[in-house]
Amino acid sequence: MLTFRTIKSLTESLRGYRAAGLRVGFVPTMGFLHAGHRALIVESVARCDITVVSIFVNPTQFGPNEDLDRYPRALEQDHALCRNAGVSLIFVPDAGEIYPPGFQTTIEPGPVAEPLCGAIRPGHFRGVATVVTKLFHIVQPEVAFFGQKDFQQCTVIRQLVRDLNLPVEIVTVPTVREPDGLALSSRNSYLSPVDRQRARCLSQGLLAAQAAYGQGERDSGRLIAIARAQMTEVDQLQYLELRDARTLEAAHGIVEQPAALCVAASVGATRLIDNVLLIPPPTALSDHELELVSHALDRQATASANEPRPS
Ligand code: PAF
């Protein structure tokens, strides 16, 4: 595994791989890697000849009062995880490499970036879209992998790729959860033991709504109420919304299209997000929906295979 700190050295190396006709997979990250990132890397290693991971805590996607300065970092562990998971190249630029003096051009996403986290973190998705576009141009991957936990981010990036004709396939990998359901996130490391217990109610609520949907409940108000009833332990529920899974438009009334139930909440001083997909039985679905469905079914099969069995 090779590590690069400059764009020049990385692109020179990648040129050789591309000349050899190798398929490049890309996993952009902000480091402090966990099993959720590992799942993205594993997917890339399975589908591509070489996998590039970037580790860059992107300052432009943090607001002035957010956690940029205390965002957790663990470069040595990150290297070990990447090496064990079969990564070929790591790109670890510093901020000056990505945003040199005089930098002034940004990518402004459209309405998909406005609700949910976009409303609470103004400018966040501009920062994400800008750095992801830059990284795509630097790495020029055939495929890039993102976690479903950041569902709105995935939607913003799919839209960006469509709108700007970027020649990269976007793969969304299902959320990896702790055994008690908490979605893996680098920010979970901020949680005190008590807050860690309290945080469970988010996934419990989402999974309860997903189970009700599976049993035929289609009323958006009732699905949200089922989730909210469990989410009593958080300090502030920032949003709990049902959105169209493709457009992120609000899903009111009876849920007929694939939808995402998305939550953001603060638990102590930590802000957490999570979501589940509510997908109808696979009849006439698009390729993207079929991919989401098959990932979701794979996850369910793996989870039930790993469940402790009565002796
Ligand atoms: O999801 C993340 O870790 C970041 O938003 C990303 C995509 C690496 C851009 O900085």
Side-chain angles (χ1 to χ4, degrees):
M1 188 176 76
L2 300 170
T3 302
F4 299 89
R5 297 190 179 277
T6 65
I7 296 170
K8 189 166 179 295
S9 59
L10 175 73
T11 49
E12 266 166 19
S13 173
L14 280 169
R15 205 171 298 132
Y17 289 103
R18 227 172 272 111
L22 298 181
R23 185 173 159 84
V24 178
F26 179 42
V27 181
T29 81
M30 298 208 297
F32 207 68
L33 305 181
H34 50 64
H37 297 108
R38 195 171 203 288
L40 306 182
I41 294 170
V42 165
E43 195 76 29
S44 174
V45 169
R47 291 182 185 221
C48 303
D49 300 311
I50 68 159
T51 291
V52 182
V53 169
S54 64
I55 297 178
F56 178 61
V57 182
N58 174 37
T60 64
Q61 68 189 74
F62 289 78
N65 300 317
E66 294 185 355
D67 56 347
L68 173 62
D69 293 336
R70 65 181 191 122
Y71 197 82
R73 289 163 168 88
L75 213 48
E76 263 178 44
Q77 278 115 290
D78 291 350
H79 269 82
L81 185 147
C82 287
R83 194 173 303 108
N84 293 337
V87 170
S88 321
L89 311 179
I90 305 193
F91 180 44
V92 196
D94 63 21
E97 184 71 6
I98 298 295
Y99 301 112
F103 178 88
Q104 53 178 262
T105 305
T106 56
I107 301 282
E108 190 65 61
V112 288
E114 283 167 13
L116 307 173
C117 289
I120 288 167
R121 305 182 70 189
H124 169 68
F125 288 116
R126 181 191 312 122
V128 170
T130 302
V131 80
V132 167
T133 305
K134 282 178 69 86
L135 290 168
F136 282 174
H137 283 303
I138 293 164
V139 177
Q140 298 181 28
E142 265 82 14
V143 199
F145 299 82
F146 295 86
Q148 187 201 311
K149 188 183 79 75
D150 299 305
F151 189 74
Q152 187 174 18
Q153 171 169 281
C154 293
T155 312
V156 167
I157 290 167
R158 283 182 187 278
Q159 185 75 42
L160 164 81
V161 162
R162 248 196 323 271
D163 289 348
L164 300 186
N165 307 94
L166 303 183
V168 53
E169 179 193 347
I170 302 300
V171 173
T172 304
V173 177
T175 304
V176 178
R177 298 181 180 281
E178 298 279 8
D180 67 3
L182 181 71
L184 292 196
S185 162
S186 303
R187 290 190 169 97
N188 291 352
S189 65
Y190 299 152
L191 293 166
S192 70
V194 172
D195 289 346
R196 168 67 186 79
Q197 290 301 102
R198 297 199 293 140
R200 288 182 310 177
C201 71
L202 292 175
S203 55
Q204 284 166 349
L206 294 177
L207 296 171
Q210 195 180 43
Y213 179 88
Q215 284 157 16
E217 181 61 80
R218 292 291 182 273
D219 183 273
S220 59
R222 277 202 292 270
L223 287 163
I224 290 172
I226 289 166
R228 181 171 291 128
Q230 306 277 326
M231 296 182 182
T232 51
E233 297 278 302
V234 300
D235 292 303
Q236 193 204 356
L237 202 53
Q238 295 183 340
Y239 61 72
L240 172 62
E241 293 182 28
L242 199 52
R243 295 263 160 182
D244 183 285
R246 274 164 300 198
T247 62
L248 289 192
E249 281 162 17
H252 297 300
I254 300 303
V255 185
E256 277 160 1
Q257 300 300 321
L261 182 57
C262 305
V263 69
S266 52
V267 182
T270 308
R271 179 174 188 275
L272 300 174
I273 59 171
D274 197 356
N275 67 82
V276 287
L277 292 175
L278 306 181
I279 301 172
T283 42
L285 297 182
S286 71
D287 285 354
H288 171 49
E289 288 156 359
L290 276 171
E291 187 187 26
L292 290 173
V293 172
S294 77
H295 276 308
L297 293 176
D298 281 356
R299 291 286 312 157
Q300 274 169 19
T302 316
S304 59
N306 290 340
E307 262 171 24
R309 292 180 196 286
S311 50

